[in-house]
Amino acid sequence: MCGIFGYVGNRNDGQKLVFSGLKSLEYRGYDSWGVGVIPEESKNTIAIKKKVGKIGNANVSDLPGGSLSFGHTRWATHGGVTDANAHPHLDCSGTIAVIHNGIFENYEEIKKGLLRKGHKFVSETDTETLTHLLEDFSKDKPFAEAVRAAFNRMDGLNAVIAVSAKENLLVAARNGSPLVIGFGKNENFLASDASALLPYTRDVYFLEDNEMAVLAPGKVTILNVKTAKEITPKRKRLDWKIEQGEKGKYKFYMLKEIFEQPQIITDIAVSGASQAEEIAKKIKDARGTYLVGCGTASYACLAGSYLFSKLAKRHVNFAIGSEFGYSLDFLNKDSLVIAISQSGETMDILESVKKAKDKGAKILSLVNVPGSSLYRLSDYKMLIGAGQERAVASTKAFTGMVAHLVLLANSLNGGVKEGQKSLMAAVKSVNQILSLKSLRKIKELTSRIVDKKHIYVIGRGLSYPASLETALKIKEISYIHAEGLAAGELKHGPLALIEKGTPCISFLPNDETYGSNLAGAMEMKARGGYIIGISHKPREVFDYYIHVSDAGESSIIPEVIVAQLLAYYLTIKKGLDPDKPRNLAKSVTVK
Ligand code: F6R
């Protein structure tokens, strides 16, 4: 979702640095971008360039040089995707600029008052209201104090950067959306994602909710937004690897990330066991455990509920992040919430986890981004260890989540070694899928179904979350409507949609669901469905067969990797960009 990058320092080409910072945030998903700078030659003004669309081959060479600069990638919420609605936004005098992530919930009433006072609005955004409010407030207050007062008037979950040309100051405030300050030598940085700071500094401070930072050349002051009390920041040293995100031999990040999976799962199998045993004790001690995630991560959670039942004979509840907040009144201090998230910044998860915390529940997070908001607010933390995921569609993070859950569920019954074995069987199976022969088979299938309007995917047990994830991958990047179903539900309604030639993907792993899944495939075949069987052995009912060797309880991993490849090749065949699907963002920081 929206990306923010800011710079205050001694370079006089800050705008170029900010522009390249924005490029490193592109993966978050956006529909327009903008850069602002206080020109060295004309200190009392702010120069701005903003454009609809991707950064692509654009540059900021037409902007003047300056040592205070800031930029934004926008993912539209209020107001259409237009140049005028892109950030930064200026006040009437052109000396105050604002960029913003989040939703300014009460902007309408404030805007009405500002219009009455004669302020001129040029965009349809909620953000612009803040620039004019700051213009009013800074008439009789120092700029940082004006930002604090204005931020306190804002309802909603927001991160804001406000710049004053008159005071040569950049002020940031956070409540909800992430912001990280990077400390350099005579220069300081700010970004919505710590990975964007790595080329410049590893010395950072993650701004907490209701904190603000005032960045002047050579100086950063952190304050509590409510009380104005100064805070001594506990800085962190980032020991992350710089993953330049080079695609290497791959044309797209998604394909690169798909191919990284055997190594990631191997690493988890080898080095995740002792941590899993440790964390399993927390689950044992809890009275009521809840797995919570959104989108792809929610399907990992659902898979987890099957794994815990099957392997650990333990009931673990599953909930979608955006819904959990409405159904957690029964939580108490003995409850354990396992929150799973790639980014650790998904607002729907953060909101419900905070509510769960208020009820006294303990939070265990399984996240991929160290230092993320979810990671920091958790009582117990586990890292997925999948490395930076840049394609919007999650692949390696999902299989990493499932791999940890396999180890956790096995650890609960004292059999972590069994979990390791089954993960290594999954790695073997995935390596076969990634062989040229198997890739050819998957590519060939795409030619047969690329023109179809609807695809149905069925499975039972652990293959049910695999079906949901398959459908999500297909729809989000290839824009073909796909629906994942519990195979048993077919005859309760969806079978009515199957007609001659409808592609029906059936998962038939080597487990207790095999016979019933086969029956489901036959029911669809009898209605004319084109049956794509994903299984350890071929069957007559399959019109098209993709082999996935048996990996026991970890079979969901290779099953989903076939689905990732299928979605990827469908997208390529349609000439679309699998890394940046329309309307979607990598880090979903609004509700
Ligand atoms: C789909 C996808 C999304 C995310 C969801 C949660 O490919 O990537 O459905 O899984 O937005 O994101 P995280 O895991 O960052 O909480």
Side-chain angles (χ1 to χ4, degrees):
M1 218 148 252
C2 308
I4 288 177
F5 200 95
Y7 173 79
V8 182
N10 50 11
R11 312 181 194 205
N12 57 14
D13 61 352
Q15 77 289 354
K16 290 192 182 147
L17 186 140
V18 164
F19 184 65
S20 90
L22 283 191
K23 284 190 188 166
S24 66
L25 294 169
E26 276 193 292
Y27 77 96
R28 293 166 69 93
Y30 67 107
D31 43 48
S32 50
W33 60 274
V35 174
V37 60
I38 298 181
E40 218 49 44
E41 303 298 313
S42 172
K43 280 278 194 190
N44 264 338
T45 60
I46 298 175
I48 273 172
K49 174 171 186 171
K50 48 189 195 174
K51 288 261 172 269
V52 157
K54 301 292 179 212
I55 292 174
N57 293 325
N59 59 58
V60 285
S61 54
D62 45 347
L63 276 179
S67 56
L68 188 156
S69 181
F70 47 101
H72 187 257
T73 49
R74 174 176 189 245
W75 187 84
T77 52
H78 279 72
V81 182
T82 62
D83 285 353
N85 288 341
H87 302 205
H89 292 282
L90 290 172
D91 72 329
C92 300
S93 71
T95 61
I96 292 174
V98 169
I99 57 183
H100 163 223
N101 285 357
I103 296 175
F104 185 170
E105 286 176 3
N106 54 334
Y107 84 99
E108 277 172 328
E109 53 185 270
I110 296 176
K111 181 173 174 178
K112 273 188 207 145
L114 291 164
L115 282 168
R116 276 198 296 274
K117 286 185 177 175
H119 288 273
K120 297 270 174 301
F121 281 73
V122 294
S123 79
E124 306 153 335
T125 61
D126 51 345
T127 307
E128 195 188 349
T129 304
L130 182 61
T131 59
H132 298 289
L133 188 63
L134 281 174
E135 185 180 357
D136 260 20
F137 282 7
S138 56
K139 280 186 187 136
D140 57 5
K141 285 185 182 60
F143 188 65
E145 190 46 32
V147 175
R148 195 176 79 78
F151 195 75
N152 281 327
R153 289 278 304 276
M154 292 174 83
D155 289 344
L157 300 167
N158 296 292
V160 159
I161 306 293
V163 167
S164 160
K166 286 183 188 150
E167 295 190 30
N168 197 32
L169 211 61
L170 186 153
V171 183
R174 165 196 170 151
N175 178 28
S177 285
L179 278 180
V180 194
I181 313 289
F183 301 88
K185 206 167 168 204
N186 299 322
E187 55 184 359
N188 295 302
F189 309 81
L190 181 142
S192 45
D193 185 332
S195 65
L197 298 176
L198 286 178
Y200 311 105
T201 180
R202 288 174 175 274
D203 186 10
V204 302
Y205 176 66
F206 291 91
L207 221 54
E208 296 295 348
D209 280 350
N210 290 314
E211 288 182 358
M212 60 187 277
V214 183
L215 278 76
K219 187 165 181 229
V220 178
T221 314
I222 313 282
L223 304 166
N224 180 297
V225 177
K226 301 278 178 214
T227 62
K229 218 174 139 204
E230 194 167 334
I231 293 164
T232 311
K234 282 196 191 126
R235 296 191 193 183
K236 284 212 158 56
R237 179 106 199 127
L238 295 177
D239 53 3
W240 310 354
K241 270 191 290 177
I242 299 194
E243 296 188 50
Q244 284 301 358
E246 298 311 337
K247 291 176 214 153
K249 59 183 178 170
Y250 300 99
K251 196 150 177 239
F252 291 100
Y253 286 114
M254 184 175 174
L255 193 61
K256 171 178 176 262
E257 289 162 6
I258 289 173
F259 271 82
E260 282 169 5
Q261 292 175 105
Q263 189 57 52
I264 294 164
I265 299 158
T266 307
D267 292 346
I268 293 171
V270 172
S271 48
S274 57
Q275 188 190 27
E277 285 177 312
E278 194 53 39
I279 294 289
K281 287 187 207 136
K282 313 277 179 219
I283 302 176
K284 247 184 204 147
D285 292 345
R287 293 245 201 106
T289 307
Y290 305 85
L291 280 162
V292 187
C294 295
T296 287
S298 79
Y299 302 143
C301 292
L302 181 59
S305 71
Y306 285 94
L307 288 166
F308 282 111
S309 162
K310 205 173 175 137
L311 299 168
K313 313 288 176 267
R314 234 188 136 86
H315 174 60
V316 172
N317 301 275
F318 150 72
I320 292 171
S322 54
E323 287 297 314
F324 189 50
Y326 308 118
S327 65
L328 47 63
D329 299 274
F330 49 82
L331 292 184
N332 59 41
K333 62 174 184 30
D334 297 322
S335 317
L336 176 70
V337 173
I338 308 181
I340 304 191
S341 170
Q342 191 286 128
S343 61
E345 299 294 351
T346 302
M347 191 54 72
D348 287 325
I349 295 266
L350 291 173
E351 281 276 275
S352 51
V353 159
K354 283 178 193 162
K355 282 191 189 167
K357 250 181 120 84
D358 289 344
K359 296 249 154 216
K362 289 271 179 292
I363 313 297
L364 159 61
S365 62
L366 176 56
V367 297
N368 200 37
V369 178
S372 54
S373 302
L374 179 59
Y375 184 81
R376 283 178 287 125
L377 63 76
S378 303
D379 301 288
Y380 318 115
K381 309 157 202 276
M382 289 176 76
L383 285 173
I384 297 168
Q388 195 178 5
E389 196 178 61
R390 296 183 71 101
V392 164
S394 187
T395 54
K396 59 180 182 169
F398 173 82
T399 49
M401 292 166 188
V402 172
H404 282 287
L405 290 167
V406 166
L407 288 184
L408 268 180
N410 275 285
S411 301
L412 270 168
N413 74 358
V416 73
K417 286 212 159 52
E418 286 308 305
Q420 290 176 300
K421 254 196 253 161
S422 114
L423 288 180
M424 291 319 292
V427 170
K428 194 167 161 216
S429 177
V430 174
N431 280 329
Q432 281 165 9
I433 292 164
L434 297 177
S435 70
L436 279 180
K437 191 169 155 221
S438 155
L439 293 177
R440 254 201 306 272
K441 194 94 209 266
I442 298 170
K443 268 193 221 167
E444 195 193 318
L445 173 61
T446 57
S447 327
R448 299 186 187 202
I449 62 174
V450 69
D451 295 324
K452 300 288 182 184
K453 293 265 176 295
H454 310 281
I455 297 175
Y456 295 91
V457 195
I458 60 160
R460 283 172 187 256
L462 275 161
S463 301
Y464 170 44
S467 305
L468 295 171
E469 174 58 4
T470 302
L472 179 60
K473 282 288 96 81
I474 292 174
K475 66 185 140 194
E476 73 178 319
I477 58 169
S478 76
Y479 315 149
I480 299 173
H481 169 242
E483 212 174 308
L485 299 161
E489 283 297 292
L490 262 182
K491 50 194 173 302
H492 301 295
L495 204 51
L497 295 168
I498 309 299
E499 46 191 42
K500 191 161 186 309
T502 307
C504 303
I505 300 175
S506 293
F507 286 111
L508 277 90
N510 185 26
D511 63 17
E512 76 272 23
T513 65
Y514 188 84
S516 311
N517 274 332
L518 189 61
M522 282 168 164
E523 282 160 15
M524 294 195 293
K525 177 97 168 181
R527 275 81 190 173
Y530 178 75
I531 310 300
I532 300 148
I534 301 182
S535 182
H536 59 291
K537 60 179 180 192
R539 297 291 300 214
E540 217 171 56
V541 65
F542 299 159
D543 294 297
Y544 202 91
Y545 169 59
I546 294 174
H547 177 75
V548 167
S549 65
D550 181 24
E553 275 79 31
S554 297
S555 292
I556 180 175
I557 292 176
E559 284 178 349
V560 165
I561 290 177
V562 170
Q564 295 168 353
L565 287 160
L566 182 60
Y568 174 84
Y569 288 125
L570 279 170
T571 308
I572 299 294
K573 194 138 220 123
K574 291 183 77 173
L576 300 167
D577 180 345
D579 285 346
K580 299 190 190 96
R582 68 185 178 201
N583 306 340
L584 298 180
K586 183 71 187 155
S587 192
V588 186
T589 51
V590 293
K591 280 220 284 179

